[in-house]
Amino acid sequence: MSPVWSVGAGLLLLLLWVRHRGLEAVLVHHRWVFVCFFLMPLSILFDVYYQLRAWAVRRLHSAPRLHELRFSCYVLQVREWKDEGSKRYMCTGRPGWLTVSLRVGKYKKIHKNITINLMDVLEVDSERQIVRVEPLVTMGQLTAHLNPMGWTLPVVPELDDLTVGGLIMGTGIESSSHIYGLFQHTCMAYELVLADGSLVRCSPTENSDLFYAVPWSCGTLGFLVAAEIKMIPAKKYVKIHYKPVRGLQKICETFTEESKKEENSFVEGLVYSLEEAVIMTGVLTDEAEQSKINRIGNYYKPWFFKHVEKYLRADRTGIEYIPSRHYYHRHTRSIFWELQDIIPFGNNPIFRYLFGWMVPPKISLLKLTQGEAIRKLYEQHHVVQDMLVPMKSLEKSIQTFHQDLNVYPLWLCPFILPNNPGMVHPKGDEAELYVDIGAYGEPKRKQFEARASMRQMEKFVRSVHGFQMLYADCYMTREEFWDMFDGSLYHKLREQMNCKDAFPEVYDKICKAARH
């Protein structure tokens, strides 16, 4: 039988089985079938299209010219909204399913959608060490553009499909953040279209109030059309040291100690149980021991969190040299550890060698095709949360995560939080070391109930002067939300720039307690 006939027969049998079981039953209980046979190939086509498009734009040097054209269309749409009487709030016209956030905001159905198509790298200024980009440029696209030129970003948030706009209007973090801060702290300037259709550039010295108010505002002060981001010289490898640690107190002490060392280019922790973790530290280097190079980003390689776990189970330390771009996107193929719930056999060597080149499926496509049944299932029995808490509260925080959620692994990522104006800053007058605790997966706590459990978690985070990342489900009341975040500068600017009739308040845009 020819390969074509074999594939055809296989697809026919698959369709007959789906028809027999029912499409919804298959999508809920055997989602891997749909993901492997449809979403993974479709994700490859998406990637090929966007890579070819980025290559063509770069070869033709057309990005600056196209930017001016698209920007003009942007302004015309805002003026059209004004001519219509400013009757509805505005929002970006990008479909909600295209965002990496698992939240499905319904506001796009009732607000005035402003269509944007700003997805190119505009300029690489080696002299100023600045890259100017449009808001829909992704982290994968940006590192692929910069690394061959000898540059990288100080903070490269993990997943390939995270966009610059999302990381600025929301937030972004990586294992280098203990040195450089959050993604917003590496940005040097923003260009925005305001509610009156005017273009404004802001920086720490120019329209500084707006510059500090934009991060975490979720597009409720204006539309981002470009950003200038700091660059640093790239190196070939990350020399990474794996250290298993046992005992919660020892885990927290070791992680805190390593996070304070400036010689560490990267610090990260994976907590596999309340008493077990692997603390990883890395330094950038151009030299490597050939026998210890691990190209962890190759499609046939084990998922990174599983590779790290081997050091814990063997109770041994280790040193490896990982190509820098592989390191920056080390959790992408397994979407941290979320993919194991979708494709349970995804880390099997046979699957990796045969189909690993198609992994991961696009998060946007997973959202688009999840259906109401899966969405409700995830909402009630699945957690995707990042809580930012002071490092001094780490031990108490992990205990709280264990009691309220019992989700493992937990991701630990340290960051320095400067005392800048805006929605997020330390309680005191000085910069403070914080840590992002990421919980992704199915809670094992027997009494877990999504709303009650997360409200309890949010209450704890407020009590230690921490912050909840706004991409995730948020159950706070308006008063609780503005107790967690400093809204003084934000509300002042919304009043000054006449935003109240143009954009919803950030709380109304992202919180489940508000009307969508």
Side-chain angles (χ1 to χ4, degrees):
M1 183 181 290
S2 70
V4 175
W5 283 106
S6 299
V7 172
L11 288 174
L12 179 61
L13 290 173
L14 175 63
L15 291 172
L16 290 173
W17 178 70
V18 170
R19 182 178 179 183
H20 172 70
R21 292 298 305 272
L23 181 60
E24 183 171 303
V26 170
L27 290 177
V28 173
H29 301 293
H30 305 280
R31 199 179 184 198
W32 64 267
V33 175
F34 185 71
V35 170
C36 291
F37 285 94
F38 295 98
L39 295 193
M40 281 168 32
L42 191 57
S43 297
I44 290 293
L45 294 178
F46 266 63
D47 281 335
V48 169
Y49 166 75
Y50 283 113
Q51 288 171 10
L52 287 175
R53 184 196 174 281
W55 176 84
V57 168
R58 186 175 179 183
R59 293 284 293 182
L60 296 172
H61 304 288
S62 59
R65 175 174 50 82
L66 292 173
H67 178 74
E68 295 301 323
L69 179 62
R70 294 173 190 147
F71 163 70
S72 299
C73 294
Y74 222 149
V75 172
L76 285 174
Q77 291 178 78
V78 174
R79 289 175 179 169
E80 180 184 89
W81 166 81
K82 290 179 65 179
D83 292 341
E84 292 172 352
S86 310
K87 297 178 181 178
R88 296 181 291 164
Y89 288 139
M90 292 185 288
C91 67
T92 62
R94 190 183 188 214
W97 61 269
L98 275 175
T99 63
V100 172
S101 168
L102 295 180
R103 182 178 59 248
V104 180
K106 299 177 182 178
Y107 59 88
K108 288 184 182 286
K109 295 180 180 179
I110 58 175
H111 293 174
K112 170 73 172 178
N113 282 217
I114 305 298
T115 304
I116 62 171
N117 189 29
L118 302 171
M119 53 198 307
D120 293 319
V121 178
L122 298 173
E123 180 187 5
V124 177
D125 189 333
S126 299
E127 186 174 329
R128 294 174 57 220
Q129 295 191 17
I130 295 291
V131 58
R132 182 168 174 258
V133 300
E134 293 178 327
L136 295 183
V137 168
T138 66
M139 288 298 100
Q141 175 187 354
L142 193 48
T143 55
H145 188 103
L146 293 179
N147 287 173
M149 304 171 68
W151 296 102
T152 188
L153 300 182
V155 175
V156 183
E158 173 61 43
L159 301 178
D160 280 9
D161 289 341
L162 291 170
T163 64
V164 167
L167 295 168
I168 290 171
M169 292 295 185
T171 193
I173 192 171
E174 239 310 320
S175 53
S176 57
S177 289
H178 66 295
I179 299 173
Y180 298 103
L182 299 171
F183 185 82
Q184 69 201 56
H185 300 129
T186 68
C187 295
M188 310 306 292
Y190 310 127
E191 297 171 35
L192 297 100
V193 173
L194 303 183
D196 61 2
S198 63
L199 175 67
V200 171
R201 183 180 186 275
C202 57
S203 71
T205 58
E206 180 183 4
N207 298 307
S208 60
D209 278 357
L210 181 58
F211 176 80
Y212 290 116
V214 162
W216 296 75
S217 66
C218 297
T220 59
L221 293 174
F223 294 110
L224 184 70
V225 293
E228 296 177 14
I229 309 169
K230 182 180 179 181
M231 301 187 303
I232 60 173
K235 294 191 176 182
K236 293 180 181 179
Y237 301 100
V238 175
K239 181 182 179 182
I240 187 168
H241 179 260
Y242 303 92
K243 182 178 182 179
V245 186
R246 286 180 165 80
L248 180 58
Q249 184 177 356
K250 184 66 174 177
I251 290 170
C252 296
E253 289 175 353
T254 303
F255 185 77
T256 302
E257 181 182 337
E258 296 296 344
S259 300
K260 292 179 179 179
K261 293 180 180 177
E262 293 185 2
E263 61 266 29
N264 288 330
S265 304
F266 306 98
V267 180
E268 175 183 24
L270 295 184
V271 183
Y272 290 91
S273 75
L274 185 61
E275 300 292 331
E276 296 178 309
V278 177
I279 307 301
M280 290 162 280
T281 58
V283 294
L284 287 164
T285 178
D286 284 323
E287 305 296 330
E289 298 177 48
Q290 293 300 311
S291 61
K292 294 183 178 180
I293 293 177
N294 183 2
R295 303 184 186 280
I296 196 69
N298 289 347
Y299 72 87
Y300 51 82
K301 288 285 189 173
W303 289 346
F304 185 70
F305 78 99
K306 287 294 187 183
H307 172 68
V308 173
E309 190 176 16
K310 292 179 182 178
Y311 291 94
L312 180 66
R313 300 306 165 216
D315 197 23
R316 64 181 178 88
T317 61
I319 291 177
E320 289 183 329
Y321 295 82
I322 299 178
S324 57
R325 192 160 186 267
H326 287 216
Y327 177 82
Y328 287 133
H329 302 287
R330 64 200 176 281
H331 291 298
T332 293
R333 285 192 300 119
S334 56
I335 317 177
F336 281 88
W337 30 94
E338 286 280 71
L339 199 57
Q340 66 181 351
D341 292 334
I342 299 172
I343 308 177
F345 48 83
N347 195 47
N348 183 284
I350 296 175
F351 179 86
R352 293 200 313 265
Y353 273 91
L354 293 179
F355 304 106
W357 57 277
M358 290 192 289
V359 169
K362 292 284 186 187
I363 296 175
S364 55
L365 295 179
L366 290 171
K367 282 178 62 179
L368 179 64
T369 59
Q370 68 181 355
E372 190 63 18
I374 294 177
R375 189 191 66 78
K376 289 182 177 179
L377 189 70
Y378 263 64
E379 186 175 299
Q380 294 301 321
H381 304 288
H382 200 87
V383 167
V384 180
Q385 291 281 349
D386 284 85
M387 299 294 187
L388 314 180
V389 298
M391 186 68 78
K392 61 190 177 187
S393 303
L394 177 58
E395 184 173 349
K396 187 177 180 181
S397 298
I398 292 177
Q399 289 173 336
T400 302
F401 269 72
H402 180 80
Q403 293 165 5
D404 292 347
L405 302 178
N406 194 8
V407 171
Y408 293 99
L410 292 175
W411 188 53
L412 303 184
C413 186
F415 69 100
I416 191 71
L417 184 61
N419 187 32
N420 293 337
M423 287 177 59
V424 172
H425 54 75
K427 190 172 184 179
D429 296 330
E430 302 294 329
E432 185 174 349
L433 190 62
Y434 270 63
V435 56
D436 173 15
I437 305 178
Y440 324 119
E442 182 180 351
K444 298 300 189 291
R445 181 175 181 263
K446 292 182 180 179
Q447 294 80 23
F448 177 80
E449 193 280 317
R451 185 178 184 278
S453 297
M454 286 315 307
R455 280 189 53 76
Q456 184 69 22
M457 182 68 68
E458 291 165 348
K459 180 179 179 181
F460 166 77
V461 173
R462 291 196 304 275
S463 73
V464 297
H465 197 73
F467 309 96
Q468 179 181 28
M469 281 198 185
L470 300 185
Y471 77 87
D473 286 334
C474 174
Y475 294 86
M476 290 182 282
T477 65
R478 193 180 303 273
E479 292 73 22
E480 291 167 342
F481 182 85
W482 291 117
D483 180 45
M484 176 179 285
F485 298 98
D486 183 353
S488 55
L489 180 61
Y490 172 78
H491 290 302
K492 170 188 164 185
L493 287 177
R494 276 179 61 83
E495 188 75 38
Q496 287 180 356
M497 300 190 306
N498 298 317
C499 293
K500 291 187 174 182
D501 295 327
F503 308 105
E505 185 184 294
V506 62
Y507 174 82
D508 297 307
K509 196 170 182 179
I510 64 101
C511 286
K512 296 184 75 67
R515 291 184 178 181
H516 282 51

